[in-house]
Amino acid sequence: MMLRLLSALSCALLLANAAAAATPATFNVLDYGAVPDGQTKNTAAFAKAVAACAAAGGGTLVVPPGKYLTGSIQLESNLTLQLDAGAELLYSGDPADSPIVAARWECTNVFTHAPLIYADGKQNIAITGRGILNGQGWNWWWRSGRGQPPAGVDPAKARDAWRSLYNRIEAGEKFTAADFTLAAEFLRPSLVGLYNCKNILVEGVTLFKSPMWMLHPVYSDDIVVHGVRFVSADPDGQPSKEGVGPNGDGIDVDSCRNVRISDCFFNTSDDCIVIKSGRDNDGLRTNRPTEYVTVTNSVMYKGHGAVVIGSETSGGIRNVTASNIVSKGTDCGVRIKSMRGRGGVLENFRFDNWVIEDVQKQAFEITMQYSASEPAPVSAKTPLFRNFAFSNITVINAKQVASIVGLPERSIEGLRFTDITATGAAGFLCSDATDVELHQLRVNAGPKSAYVFERVHDLTVNDATTRAPRPDAPVMLFKDSDSIVVRATRAPAGTGTFLQFDGAKPTQLKLSDNDFSAAATPVSPAGL
């Protein structure tokens, strides 16, 4: 009996030890001297808590409710930063609280002051909970000309130092953190910067009014962003006392792989989600693509674009999908942009199941002329766009439905639009593109043509029309375009001219299974 009792006690002890070993270690920042009064500097307390967690081989750093003023918190591998509901980190505006670290600034390799949350070369890290990361960006915005600098401070010196360094970086020179001592005073840090990391989770938290971009992973792999709120604009258009700062992007995915973004909310003063891969000569030398990115089940307000790709594209961007998105009041819905000098191959993008309402510019903007420049011979610095698909999308009250602009020296290749209904002051405009397909489109536009194609080749229009024809403007206008098929398309009552061809006469034109009987002039000029 005694042996059985001892055996049972031994088993119980072993099970208890195993359970204890399986329980993740937790580290409460209050135990390391943190004071949640919103005024006491907690930079050292957070550093102690992180060090203790790292010494234990990992665990969870718990931040209880309260306001914690702090400089940069630098994460270690195998660490979860858990912000309880009611916890708010306030990013100090004092650069002395945040050392100068490796980063990218607007997609150029630099050194900046460390973000509020920063990790370099770490793995298995997470930022979770229902708390707030408050960047207090107004403490930094003056460095870029938004707001007044402190008395006696001249931000022009730091700005000029950065401009000089940038030109030398573009020329191929190498620098260290010490070279950025002055320039870093101009380069505002992001709110969360994850540099060269693996296996990242950001979940549940709110990111608020960053000095620069809010969440900026660089050179990182296996990233999950779920259920996060990104707020850099003022709610409901009511100005806050702090104002709205520059570059208030939500997520900037920068030369990363295997990224999943889902169930997020954005109310930003710049792009909501933007995907990048390096800028100009520095980006071409680095040559790190962004690839395998999915975005789903998210709502976007007031950003420059809901989902944006570019304009920093030098490393290439490929294999991106964005589905189940609702945007309201953004400047653009989908925006894909680059320009001469950036280079990069952008390919294999799909956008499905969207509602885009009240865009201030274009519901769809695809441009290889983001900045005006003269035509140039095709080279590694010429961007290449190919294989983009858009489907099952409703556009309501756009300023313009679509603006698609390639380059005369390099057309956009392979565009497919399927099941699109759209209303806008201006219609669907496409130039310098090849292999373009429109299936089941209804575009109701303002006083001009619903569709305009200029220097577009290998074009298929299948069951595309308008419900708001104009008697004095053709529904579809083709300028210097060729290899065109129009089929299964109907002219609505009230149509003046349905198809009009200007410029060079198309050498290949096929019209089949169409009903143009309601048009005063089905095709102009006649006889094509």
Side-chain angles (χ1 to χ4, degrees):
M1 178 65 116
M2 182 62 71
L3 288 174
R4 275 187 294 213
L5 180 60
L6 290 173
S7 177
L9 289 172
S10 297
C11 288
L13 184 59
L14 288 172
L15 289 171
N17 289 336
T23 302
T26 59
F27 302 83
N28 190 316
V29 294
L30 299 180
D31 296 335
Y32 296 88
V35 180
D37 62 3
Q39 297 180 351
T40 302
K41 287 280 188 71
N42 290 288
T43 311
F46 275 95
K48 290 178 183 178
V50 170
C53 186
T60 300
L61 195 161
V62 177
V63 184
K67 294 180 182 293
Y68 301 82
L69 181 65
T70 180
S72 180
I73 301 168
Q74 301 201 28
L75 304 184
E76 297 290 343
S77 294
N78 307 313
L79 185 150
T80 293
L81 176 63
Q82 178 182 304
L83 301 177
D84 288 347
E88 183 173 6
L89 302 185
L90 306 176
Y91 188 27
S92 164
D94 183 358
D97 284 337
S98 300
I100 295 176
V101 297
R104 256 183 171 179
W105 200 80
E106 293 190 335
C107 292
T108 296
N109 290 298
V110 299
F111 295 87
T112 71
H113 285 287
L116 172 60
I117 308 297
Y118 179 75
D120 181 357
K122 308 306 178 183
Q123 60 184 355
N124 307 326
I125 55 178
I127 304 166
T128 66
R130 305 299 296 175
I132 299 172
L133 303 176
N134 185 343
Q136 299 194 127
W138 50 89
N139 292 320
W140 298 83
W141 296 336
W142 59 266
R143 291 173 167 82
S144 291
R146 187 73 56 89
Q148 292 297 318
V153 176
D154 181 8
K157 293 180 180 178
R159 179 198 62 206
D160 293 345
W162 160 239
R163 289 176 177 173
S164 175
L165 280 173
Y166 175 77
N167 291 333
R168 294 165 65 189
I169 291 168
E170 280 293 282
E173 290 189 49
K174 303 293 184 182
F175 297 95
T176 66
D179 298 310
F180 277 79
T181 301
L182 179 56
E185 298 304 308
F186 175 77
L187 303 178
R188 293 163 287 121
S190 297
L191 184 56
V192 177
L194 305 171
Y195 189 87
N196 195 30
C197 294
K198 293 183 179 180
N199 193 14
I200 298 163
L201 171 66
V202 182
E203 184 173 44
V205 294
T206 294
L207 278 64
F208 182 76
K209 299 227 175 181
S210 174
M212 179 66 178
W213 297 341
M214 285 192 272
L215 175 57
H216 184 200
V218 183
Y219 306 141
S220 295
D221 191 3
D222 194 1
I223 303 165
V224 173
V225 181
H226 178 257
V228 177
R229 298 176 70 249
F230 297 86
V231 181
S232 59
D234 289 331
D236 303 320
Q238 300 300 316
S240 66
K241 65 178 181 179
E242 301 90 359
V244 174
N247 310 108
D249 298 8
I251 304 175
D252 291 73
V253 179
D254 193 353
S255 292
C256 295
R257 301 176 74 247
N258 305 322
V259 181
R260 290 91 75 198
I261 301 167
S262 64
D263 300 282
C264 293
F265 172 80
F266 298 82
N267 187 8
T268 71
S269 57
D270 211 300
D271 295 325
C272 296
I273 296 174
V274 57
I275 300 169
K276 302 173 181 288
S277 66
R279 177 174 180 167
D280 298 341
N281 291 337
D282 183 63
L284 289 166
R285 284 191 298 267
T286 304
N287 194 28
R288 290 276 294 269
T290 290
E291 54 190 353
Y292 312 117
V293 179
T294 65
V295 180
T296 193
N297 298 346
S298 295
V299 175
M300 284 81 164
Y301 278 82
K302 297 182 182 177
H304 287 185
V307 174
V308 178
I309 298 174
S311 65
E312 296 89 348
T313 60
S314 300
I317 302 168
R318 55 180 174 259
N319 303 338
V320 177
T321 73
S323 63
N324 300 349
I325 304 296
V326 175
S327 72
K328 166 73 173 176
T330 55
D331 284 359
C332 296
V334 177
R335 193 179 193 193
I336 304 171
K337 55 184 180 175
S338 190
M339 62 190 200
R340 297 180 180 98
R342 293 277 157 92
V345 177
L346 280 66
E347 61 185 349
N348 308 334
F349 302 160
R350 299 192 67 91
F351 305 89
D352 184 63
N353 279 9
W354 282 54
V355 175
I356 302 170
E357 184 175 4
D358 293 337
V359 289
Q360 304 302 298
K361 294 180 180 178
Q362 304 88 2
F364 312 111
E365 183 185 28
I366 306 172
T367 181
M368 299 169 78
Q369 299 189 47
Y370 179 57
S371 181
S373 59
E374 294 298 319
V378 173
S379 70
K381 293 187 175 184
T382 309
L384 172 60
F385 288 11
R386 63 189 178 199
N387 195 18
F388 303 164
F390 302 77
S391 57
N392 306 311
I393 298 174
T394 298
V395 176
I396 305 162
N397 192 33
K399 185 172 182 180
Q400 183 174 359
V401 173
S403 174
I404 302 168
V405 180
L407 296 171
E409 67 267 29
R410 173 172 274 174
S411 296
I412 299 169
E413 303 173 8
L415 297 175
R416 296 176 304 285
F417 291 84
T418 304
D419 190 10
I420 311 291
T421 61
T423 62
F428 187 105
L429 279 64
C430 180
S431 64
D432 292 305
T434 185
D435 187 16
V436 179
E437 299 180 23
L438 277 60
H439 301 277
Q440 298 171 320
L441 267 66
R442 303 291 182 269
V443 174
N444 299 339
K448 298 183 180 180
S449 298
Y451 306 85
V452 177
F453 305 97
E454 187 168 4
R455 296 182 301 279
V456 175
H457 301 275
D458 296 325
L459 170 64
T460 298
V461 178
N462 177 54
D463 186 18
T465 188
T466 183
R467 299 301 185 199
R470 306 292 172 176
D472 54 350
V475 172
M476 296 186 184
L477 176 60
F478 303 84
K479 300 179 180 180
D480 296 318
S481 298
D482 207 346
S483 299
I484 300 166
V485 174
V486 180
R487 63 175 175 237
T489 294
R490 177 179 298 179
T495 299
T497 299
F498 194 79
L499 305 179
Q500 180 170 316
F501 296 85
D502 290 349
K505 179 180 177 179
T507 59
Q508 294 181 320
L509 173 63
K510 183 176 182 179
L511 308 179
S512 65
D513 300 319
N514 298 298
D515 181 0
F516 297 153
S517 60
T521 304
V523 180
S524 175
L528 286 176

